[in-house]
């Protein structure tokens, strides 16, 4: 029998959340002091949840593998955070943010969750400003906004190209206040390696102290997973080196269903791969598409000449350039959603128009913006007849104010000056919309185990819009979980502390000990990275931007074989009881090697194209994604049965009562 | 490129460390410094030796994890970059590169190139926040106007990534640049003024307790800071601390110092 009860409250969509909050059981402040909550991950979702739960009075323990909560990978988010504030008076509203998000997700997200996200978005900005987050402002002292892909309003709040950093430091500061009060105990340089279930409820974790190597038991009345996404299954991605699926995968193996693993976001504007040594890919914020124009040469000869260095991009006149996004999608132009922009770049490069040595890059050009801004700035200074040099100089100034840190980052990595010559960019794995299945309360199919942020599947459907990840992380952590978890914890006021000397903890700890010993004692011939890179190649070539049934079938076979090879032949130097970076990597890659197979299986079963999931067999004559609403308008939630290749599918049908489901068009 | 690396190896916090020499070949200019170390480690693992442990995570210069002292400079010879963004094109074929952990009494070595920077967290915990609870009804964000200059300056201070290069660069191992960055961020915003006194007193007190040295205005921190935090922050902190000492609860700061 399927356990998928999404627990969506009854009533009109705009009233659901308010009504639900009123119906939730509350916990008396004195009783909260007797309740413990474990939070895994200290990014925007985990950090904000930990701080808020501690403010409410619960005893919180946080875990992160980094040396400080401030280093969680939310810190790297660049462009901004959406909120339906309508400060620009351009017609924005909760409904429009909701509509854009559902449409952007290609009608594969849960309507009620997306509405709630849009509803609390404005509170996030108020909260962050109150905390002292230094958002960008206009000369009048008011908050500034910019636009992101897939929308026709300006609703994105930002702090230069470091919005994630500033928001995370806000959540980190809120955590610090609670650490100082003794309400949060931080366990940094700790990694969760398993979930402990007692009487059907999540009651604790097994963690490894990454400094001493010790295995530890921690108990709580509820466990919150906010450990981020699994993009590193591709080896190369914009994720941090340590970003991993382990916490999610371990709860999956303990009974939490994994939803839509094949929904992956390939971000269109990243710095292209430069060689085999590459360890990660660097994003260039989507905000750059506000002002940058994307193009390749119209003629193949020109593309070849640029690749071989015989021509420079600036040698080509406007007529010789193909601004293919503006050509194909006139109404959204360069600001089409990420999945659309990525596929369009791949299409041009596959057709032979790529512009770097490998043929896998397109141009992102700021020359028009520099000219436009330069004229505007000259006008503000009272110079209404500026020379070309003056315009260029002032234009570059404006661009530097808006994107300075991104331009600097590009120059350091590529060794070219993007103020003078167009940037070269190519799509890269960035975000995973799939994740652990949760109900309206963000509870997984394991009672007492909640999942937040990128780690859950809920709000973005098959494609996430830019500047919505920060919004979701903070919405879940600040404004959703602190309410919904109370309803569950209200039944635990008399439970008392959960003991850790029970058979359930014994069993879980022994299993982890065996796993680690097996890795250390394996003494094979290849490093962990060797296997991780191989997995990444399979994923990118067969489960990447475009997929087909044949490739996906062979990917499942390949991954299974690679997993077996890993367990036969991996070499992990060092000991268990010490700081051992290779051992950390090994446990993570072992889980990626299982997830990868499920990923391919999910992609294979979904016989349609939707958002980031593009199946070559299912496309329109113009090469756009072709959904099959009749057969696939559901969330695919997979149940672990002992083998990732043979998981059992459960379906949550999606109903759209407040939005008309139609073909997604940005033309 | 062919290089000679001299790398600090230390088994653990208790063990004695030493510089060990490793020749390395086949390094390309497009590699980042950490990718060069990846190549070294892959070779060491294949030879059955223990790889060099170093802190790193985002590899795009924002998480603040990476922390190497390269040829005597935190984050190496380039300016306004972290080690992960330092590229090998900054070096020449045949170079010898000395790689050590950040050195400071308050940053004990954990293993090889990894140091314990939790002192920074404790400084933040002492007051690096605005005491506002989470609720859905804090006042509308635009009801607190902030002039653009102050907002920009506040942002510039808030850009600190907490890497510790300022401490490693300082002959006194002072954490003034780090501490002052957070104090500056809040000092420049109206929201931050309310707790300004307590914040300045408590953060400075914690900074001293952790064993960081004092500032003697050498300015090395400013030069090595990968995020361009300037000495103006320290001046601002000194002003905040001075006025806090005059108006604040003096017992807080002086009683324990005796």
């Amino acid at each position: 029998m399927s356990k998928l009860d999404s627990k969506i409250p009854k009533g009109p969509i705009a009233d659901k959340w308010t009504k639900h909050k009123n119906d939730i059981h509350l916990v008396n402040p004195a009783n909260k002091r007797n309740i413990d909550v474990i939070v895994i991950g200290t990014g925007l979702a985990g950090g904000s949840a930990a701080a808020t739960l501690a403010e409410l009075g619960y005893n919180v323990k946080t875990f992160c593998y980094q040396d400080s909560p401030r280093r969680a990978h939310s810190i790297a988010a660049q462009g901004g955070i959406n909120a339906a504030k309508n400060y620009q008076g351009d017609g924005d509203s909760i409904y429009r943010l909701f509509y854009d998000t559902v449409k952007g997700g290609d009608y594969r997200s849960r309507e009620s969750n997306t509405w709630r996200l849009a509803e609390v978005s404005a509170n996030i900005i108020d909260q962050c400003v109150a905390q002292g987050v230094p958002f960008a402002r206009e000369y009048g002292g008011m908050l500034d906004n910019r636009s992101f892909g897939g929308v026709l309003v300006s609703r994105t709040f930002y702090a230069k190209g470091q919005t994630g950093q500033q928001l995370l430091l806000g959540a980190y500061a809120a955590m610090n206040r609670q650490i100082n009060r003794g309400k949060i105990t931080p366990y940094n340089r700790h990694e969760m390696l398993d979930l402990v279930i007692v009487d059907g409820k999540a009651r604790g974790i097994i963690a490894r102290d990454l400094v001493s190597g010790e295995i530890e038991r921690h108990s709580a009345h509820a466990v919150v997973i906010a450990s981020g996404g699994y993009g590193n299954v591709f080896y190369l991605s914009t994720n941090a080196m340590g970003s991993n699926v382990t916490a999610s995968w371990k709860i999956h193996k303990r009974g939490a269903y994994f939803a839509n693993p094949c929904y992956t976001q390939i971000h269109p504007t990243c710095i292209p791969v430069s060689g085999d040594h590459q360890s990660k890919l660097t994003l260039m914020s989507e905000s750059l598409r506000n002002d940058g124009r994307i193009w390749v040469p119209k003629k193949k000869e020109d593309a070849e000449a640029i690749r071989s260095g015989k021509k420079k991009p600036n040698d080509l006149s406007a007529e010789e350039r193909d601004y293919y996004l503006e050509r194909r999608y006139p109404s959204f132009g360069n600001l089409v959603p990420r999945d659309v922009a990525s596929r369009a770049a791949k299409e041009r490069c596959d057709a032979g128009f790529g512009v770097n040595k490998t043929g896998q890059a397109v141009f992102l050009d700021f020359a028009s913006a520099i000219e436009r801004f330069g004229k505007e700035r000259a006008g503000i200074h009272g110079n209404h007849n500026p020379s070309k040099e003056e315009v260029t100089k002032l234009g570059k100034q404006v661009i530097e104010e808006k994107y300075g840190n991104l331009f600097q980052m590009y120059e350091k990595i590529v060794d070219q000056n993007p103020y003078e010559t167009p940037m070269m960019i190519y799509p890269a794995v960035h975000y995973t919309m799939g994740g652990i299945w949760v109900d309206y309360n963000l509870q997984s199919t394991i009672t007492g185990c909640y999942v937040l942020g990128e780690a859950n599947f809920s709000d973005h459907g098959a494609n996430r819009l830019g500047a919505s990840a920060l919004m979701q992380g903070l919405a879940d952590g600040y404004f959703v979980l602190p309410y919904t978890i109370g309803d569950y914890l209200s039944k635990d006021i008399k439970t008392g502390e959960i003991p850790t000397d029970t058979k359930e903890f014994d069993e879980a700890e022994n299993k982890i000990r065996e796993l680690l010993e097996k890795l250390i004692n394996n003494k094979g011939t290849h490093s962990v990275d060797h296997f991780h890179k191989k997995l990444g190649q399979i994923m990118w070539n067969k489960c990447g931007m475009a997929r087909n049934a044949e490739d996906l079938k062979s990917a499942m076979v390949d991954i299974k074989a690679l997993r077996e090879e890993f367990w036969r032949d991996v070499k992990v130097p060092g000991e268990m009881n010490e700081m051992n970076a290779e051992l950390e990597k090994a446990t993570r890659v072992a889980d990626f090697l299982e997830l990868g197979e499920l990923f391919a299986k999910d992609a294979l079963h979904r016989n349609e194209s939707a958002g980031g999931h593009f199946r070559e067999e299912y496309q329109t004559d113009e090469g756009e994604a072709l959904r099959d609403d009749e057969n696939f308008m559901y969330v695919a939630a997979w149940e672990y049965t002992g083998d990732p290749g043979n998981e059992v599918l459960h379906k949550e049908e999606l109903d759209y009562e407040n939005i008309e489901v139609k073909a997604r068009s940005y033309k | 490129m062919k290089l000679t690396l001299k790398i600090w190896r230390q088994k653990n916090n208790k063990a004695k460390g030493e510089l060990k020499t490793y020749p390395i070949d086949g390094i390309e200019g497009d590699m980042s410094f950490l990718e060069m170390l990846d190549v070294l480690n892959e070779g060491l693992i294949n030879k059955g030796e223990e790889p060099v442990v170093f802190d790193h995570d985002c590899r795009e210069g924002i998480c603040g994890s990476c922390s190497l002292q390269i040829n005597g400079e935190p984050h190496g010879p380039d300016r306004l970059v972290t080690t992960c963004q330092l590229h090998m094109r900054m070096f020449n074929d045949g170079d010898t590169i000395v790689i050590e952990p950040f050195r400071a009494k308050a940053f004990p070595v954990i293993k090889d190139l990894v140091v314990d920077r939790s002192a920074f967290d404790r400084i933040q915990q002492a007051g690096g926040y605005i005491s506002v609870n989470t609720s859905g009804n804090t006042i509308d964000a635009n009801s607190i106007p902030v002039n653009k200059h102050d907002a920009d300056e506040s942002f510039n201070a808030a850009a600190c990534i907490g890497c510790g290069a300022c401490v490693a660069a300082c002959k006194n191992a002072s954490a003034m640049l780090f501490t002052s960055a957070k104090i500056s961020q809040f000092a420049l915003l109206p929201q931050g003024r309310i707790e300004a006194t307590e914040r300045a007193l408590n953060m400075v007190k914690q900074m001293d307790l952790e064993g960081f040295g004092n500032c003697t205005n050498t300015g090395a921190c400013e030069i090595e800071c990968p995020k361009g935090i300037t000495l103006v922050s320290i001046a601002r902190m000194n002003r905040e601390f001075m006025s806090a000492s005059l108006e604040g609860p003096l017992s807080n700061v002086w009683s324990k110092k005796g």
Side-chain angles (χ1 to χ4, degrees), chain A residues 465-619:
Chain A
L465 291 181
S468 283
L470 303 186
M471 172 172 69
Q472 189 218 337
L474 290 180
D476 287 359
Y478 280 138
F479 296 115
V480 179
L481 179 87
Y483 289 97
T484 59
I485 202 171
D487 198 38
Y488 170 72
L489 294 173
S490 66
K491 296 170 199 104
D492 259 333
I493 52 175
K494 289 193 179 142
T495 309
E497 200 180 324
I498 309 290
T500 57
D501 56 353
T502 57
K503 62 178 195 310
E504 291 86 358
F505 276 92
D506 290 345
E507 181 266 336
E509 183 182 324
N510 289 338
K511 224 181 74 187
I512 291 307
R513 237 172 240 292
E514 276 168 31
L515 172 95
L516 297 175
E517 278 164 8
K518 196 170 170 199
L519 286 166
I520 290 280
N521 296 329
N522 206 46
K523 315 265 186 230
T525 51
H526 289 297
S527 71
V528 178
D529 279 355
H530 166 87
F531 292 100
H532 198 178
K533 283 180 188 174
K534 276 191 157 179
L535 173 65
Q537 276 159 7
I538 300 171
M539 294 299 298
W540 183 247
N541 293 332
K542 297 180 176 174
C543 313
M545 257 187 290
R547 305 152 176 182
N548 62 58
E550 200 183 323
D551 279 353
L552 290 166
K553 276 181 205 157
S554 88
M556 285 183 70
V557 174
D558 294 353
I559 295 168
K560 189 165 186 233
L562 183 66
R563 189 168 67 236
E564 285 161 6
E565 196 192 325
F566 172 87
W567 283 108
R568 252 196 334 269
D569 199 27
V570 73
K571 179 172 177 178
V572 181
E575 304 296 328
M576 243 175 85
N577 296 320
E578 62 173 350
M579 177 174 262
N580 188 336
E582 288 299 307
L583 182 60
E584 292 166 32
K585 278 198 263 182
T587 55
R588 294 169 192 160
V589 172
D591 291 333
F592 280 133
L593 283 163
E594 295 186 1
L595 163 77
E597 192 179 349
L598 177 65
F599 186 122
K601 183 183 172 72
D602 182 48
L604 177 63
H605 112 281
R606 190 165 281 278
N607 288 319
E608 65 162 352
S609 294
H613 169 65
F614 189 78
R615 281 280 299 272
E616 286 162 350
E617 305 96 314
Y618 308 102
Q619 54 180 307

Side-chain angles (χ1 to χ4, degrees), chain A residues 87 129 172 241 280 413, chain B residues 57 60 89 121 134 140 191:
Chain A
Y87 280 163
V129 167
Y172 166 70
M241 301 301 287
K280 79 151 270 157
I413 294 173
Chain B
D57 203 24
E60 49 187 278
R89 63 180 83 94
D121 281 332
T134 312
D140 183 83
Q191 305 93 298

Side-chain angles (χ1 to χ4, degrees), chain B residues 10-24:
Chain B
Q10 185 173 336
K11 180 90 180 142
N12 56 47
N13 184 262
K14 307 266 175 328
K16 207 170 163 250
E18 59 173 340
L19 280 173
K20 278 198 169 172
T21 304
Y22 300 91
I24 190 167

Side-chain angles (χ1 to χ4, degrees), chain A residues 29 89 103 240 308 320 329 415 541 544 550:
Chain A
K103 178 187 171 191
S308 63
E320 292 170 312
Y329 308 100
D415 204 19
N541 293 332
E550 200 183 323

